[in-house]
Amino acid sequence: MWSVKARFDGRRAVVTGGASGMGAAAAEALVGLGAAVTVLDVKPPTSSTVEYRQVDLRSRASIDDVVGSLDEPTDTLINCAGMPQTFPYRDVLACNIAGLRHLTESLIPTMPAGSSVVNVSSIAGRQWRKFRDALSPLLATEGMDEALDWIDAHPDLGDPYVASKMAVNLYTLNRAPQVAAAGIRINAICPGNTTTAMSADFEKVSAAGVLDQMSSVAGRSATPEDQADVIVFLASDLARYVNGVLLDVDGGFCAAAETRQLARPGN
């Protein structure tokens, strides 16, 4: 029964950011488990086993166009697309939270009972409670245009990547109980240091040794496949009673940080 519940036969999965990194790994895993996968990205994927639609998550018009082109209901939505803080402030927040929310809210009304959404957040967003009051007005905006206007009026949120991931966490928690009555689940993974194309960007903005410390408990950084396996689990019927969860996938780093055990055992 476990193997049946892990499969996605007859289901349509939409994966943003599916051309590379965690998104590509998740798309490949979903195809292998029987899903029909549509990748939404600014660039085409290398895989020939997925359908591709170009989208720019910073643009409401681009999102609306791609949503209108989807001719089948979406059973699984994986929001992997994101931009690091080396990009302009508005672009990062537009893509990582305003665009993510607009796409998700556009698809939810068409999703049948039993569907699931998995957002890719980050352990960088763990402090969302401290910034709830600052970020809640952003999530209270109606529609993407209003969200972008709010972002333009608030250039003082600090690191836009961190702010966007805190907002993704808060959005996930807010919406999970609201869509439960329709039989839809929304969860998020919070990756730790993971080797992807964005790793070089994170190295540019991180203090010396920070990324190595984040990998010190597990002894290595995560691979995209490490993250994709958890994404697929949360999207599957194996996690059918899991809703509104922010799941750290960091090799134990946050546990070690909170208990002051950052040095690896024996060192």
Side-chain angles (χ1 to χ4, degrees), residues 11-14 70 72-78 107-108 110-112 115-116:
R11 300 187 187 184
R12 166 68 60 180
V14 170
L70 299 174
E72 296 181 21
T74 299
D75 302 281
T76 304
L77 172 60
I78 311 297
L107 290 178
I108 281 177
T110 72
M111 299 178 80
S115 296
S116 61

Side-chain angles (χ1 to χ4, degrees), residues 165-181:
K165 295 305 183 179
M166 290 191 292
V168 168
N169 287 349
L170 186 56
Y171 170 68
T172 301
L173 296 173
N174 281 343
R175 287 298 276 143
Q178 295 169 2
V179 300

Side-chain angles (χ1 to χ4, degrees), residues 46-131:
T46 58
S47 173
S48 60
T49 62
V50 300
E51 182 183 33
Y52 169 63
R53 307 287 174 87
Q54 188 176 48
V55 69
D56 183 346
L57 288 178
R58 297 169 295 180
S59 165
R60 179 186 60 79
S62 180
I63 295 170
D64 290 344
D65 285 347
V66 79
V67 168
S69 76
L70 299 174
D71 52 8
E72 296 181 21
T74 299
D75 302 281
T76 304
L77 172 60
I78 311 297
N79 286 311
C80 279
M83 301 178 71
Q85 55 272 77
T86 51
F87 284 82
Y89 180 91
R90 187 185 199 263
D91 286 350
V92 175
L93 286 160
C95 174
N96 293 6
I97 180 59
L100 178 152
R101 185 186 69 159
H102 185 62
L103 174 66
T104 304
E105 295 301 325
S106 297
L107 290 178
I108 281 177
T110 72
M111 299 178 80
S115 296
S116 61
V117 178
V118 181
N119 298 322
V120 175
S121 182
S122 170
I123 60 171
R126 283 174 60 87
Q127 299 300 313
W128 64 269
R129 292 176 183 84
K130 294 182 179 179
F131 294 87

Side-chain angles (χ1 to χ4, degrees), residues 227-249:
Q227 305 296 343
D229 286 349
V230 183
I231 290 170
V232 172
F233 162 71
L234 286 176
S236 77
D237 286 343
L238 288 172
R240 62 195 176 278
Y241 203 65
V242 181
N243 189 31
V245 165
L246 308 176
L247 181 56
D248 293 338
V249 189

